[in-house]
Amino acid sequence: MWRASSMSADLGIGLALRAVNERVQQAVARRPQDLPAIQPRLVAVSKTKPVEMVIEAYNHGQRTFGENYVQELLEKASNPKILSSCPDIKWHFIGHLQKQNVNKLMAVPNLSVLETVSSVKLAERVNSSWQKKGSPERLKVMVQVNTSGEDSKHGLPPSEMIALVEHLNAKCPSLEFVGLMTIGRFGHDLSQGPNPDFQMLWSLREELCEKLQVPAGQVELSMGMSSDFQHAIEVGSTNIRVGTTIFGERDYSKKPILNDTTTELKAPVGATQEH
């Protein structure tokens, strides 16, 4: 198996990005014709990486970046070098968002998508905060679903997904629901068949679209990371979150522990999860 994550540091960010995008197109070509013909969005996950790496990736054509921690995202997105060198940058927040950090996240320049709404209370807090910000555009949000049922994962149970989406659409006028997101169980053996967590998110979208009477192409699926993004695309992902394959392995020993604890996992940072 091609170990892109360990090769990216040797290749350089530009070549690594090109290699990832080529693999994305290969996966798109293998995708069944009955899936919505949506070009997958590549979210380059830059957590723990310096602003210089973000700028380098931007200079090679990457526009969408993802972060897991509110404080790190705020500092990075507000950095004068980023603001001056990357005018078209778009930030996705992909970590667990605690309610006390909502206002801080809403202050992030060029915040494009919040991928991890997982409760009515959080949705209402985000809606209120974004409303107070006075932005002329609604904030795009995804609903995070815990498809694997693991205690180490955040996200709401699949059975509660439709109710939350309906609440977003009816009661949160400053937010725009755009899709569903999952992390899924790590290390799935594809020789045993497609990843059941990805299949579940796809099925949940079908159920949701039937309920809301909207086409599947209007509801994104955010699933797939460095280790499995090609498979995720093949089974319907429209938004992949890839970090180590682009930027190289992370050295958590050099990263200070952040107070906001906005990691996607409840387990210690970096224990099992890699984008």
Side-chain angles (χ1 to χ4, degrees):
M1 183 178 178
W2 187 53
R3 293 293 297 164
S5 58
S6 61
M7 292 178 67
S8 58
D10 299 328
L11 287 173
I13 290 174
L15 288 175
L17 267 173
R18 187 186 307 170
V20 168
N21 281 308
E22 286 176 357
R23 294 174 68 197
V24 166
Q25 296 312 314
Q26 290 167 3
V28 167
R30 294 192 294 267
R31 196 165 52 186
Q33 294 298 310
D34 58 344
L35 289 175
I38 299 173
Q39 177 64 29
R41 179 192 302 106
L42 171 61
V43 179
V45 181
S46 51
K47 67 176 181 180
T48 79
K49 300 300 182 180
V51 296
E52 289 75 16
M53 282 191 167
V54 173
I55 294 171
E56 185 178 349
Y58 183 94
N59 289 339
H60 284 285
Q62 181 62 26
R63 291 294 179 267
T64 307
F65 295 81
E67 289 285 339
N68 288 65
Y69 306 101
V70 173
Q71 186 61 37
E72 183 176 4
L73 172 54
L74 182 59
E75 291 175 2
K76 221 170 263 185
S78 304
N79 186 285
K81 293 180 181 178
I82 295 283
L83 291 172
S84 62
S85 302
C86 311
D88 298 324
I89 197 168
K90 296 179 179 179
W91 292 102
H92 284 218
F93 186 71
I94 60 174
H96 174 56
L97 178 60
Q98 297 178 328
K99 287 190 286 291
Q100 65 265 31
N101 289 316
V102 167
N103 289 343
K104 186 184 290 185
L105 179 64
M106 297 302 100
V108 169
N110 299 306
L111 179 65
S112 177
V113 181
L114 166 57
E115 294 198 20
T116 51
V117 173
S118 57
S119 72
V120 167
K121 286 185 177 180
L122 180 60
E124 290 177 343
R125 182 75 63 90
V126 172
N127 180 72
S128 176
S129 183
W130 190 257
Q131 208 165 35
K132 290 175 183 175
K133 183 178 179 179
S135 174
E137 297 181 353
R138 292 187 294 167
L139 175 65
K140 293 180 171 62
V141 300
M142 296 184 181
V143 168
Q144 182 177 1
V145 184
N146 186 348
T147 51
S148 65
E150 296 172 280
D151 290 338
S152 62
K153 304 289 194 305
H154 289 283
L156 83 175
S159 60
E160 299 176 14
M161 179 272 298
I162 289 181
L164 178 52
V165 173
E166 289 181 328
H167 184 87
L168 279 166
N169 289 339
K171 304 292 186 180
C172 299
S174 294
L175 306 182
E176 179 185 358
F177 168 74
V178 296
L180 304 174
M181 178 267 209
T182 194
I183 298 171
R185 192 180 300 271
F186 301 119
H188 174 70
D189 182 1
L190 290 178
S191 69
Q192 304 300 311
N195 188 317
D197 292 311
F198 296 168
Q199 287 187 307
M200 178 179 288
L201 201 68
W202 186 90
S203 297
L204 287 171
R205 179 177 66 179
E206 292 292 293
E207 184 182 348
L208 177 66
C209 290
E210 184 176 346
K211 174 79 172 179
L212 300 182
Q213 293 296 293
V214 298
Q218 290 184 13
V219 179
E220 292 201 42
L221 295 180
S222 176
M223 55 190 192
M225 297 186 283
S226 281
S227 62
D228 56 11
F229 70 86
Q230 285 183 288
H231 171 62
I233 291 170
E234 290 170 22
V235 296
S237 179
T238 64
N239 187 87
I240 55 172
R241 311 178 302 269
V242 180
T244 55
T245 308
I246 297 169
F247 297 109
E249 301 292 343
R250 301 183 182 97
D251 185 356
Y252 288 99
S253 67
K254 295 180 180 178
K255 185 70 185 174
I257 300 298
L258 297 169
N259 293 327
D260 61 32
T261 62
T262 51
T263 155
E264 278 192 344
L265 293 181
K266 297 174 185 175
V269 176
T272 55
Q273 175 197 359
E274 283 299 337
H275 286 279

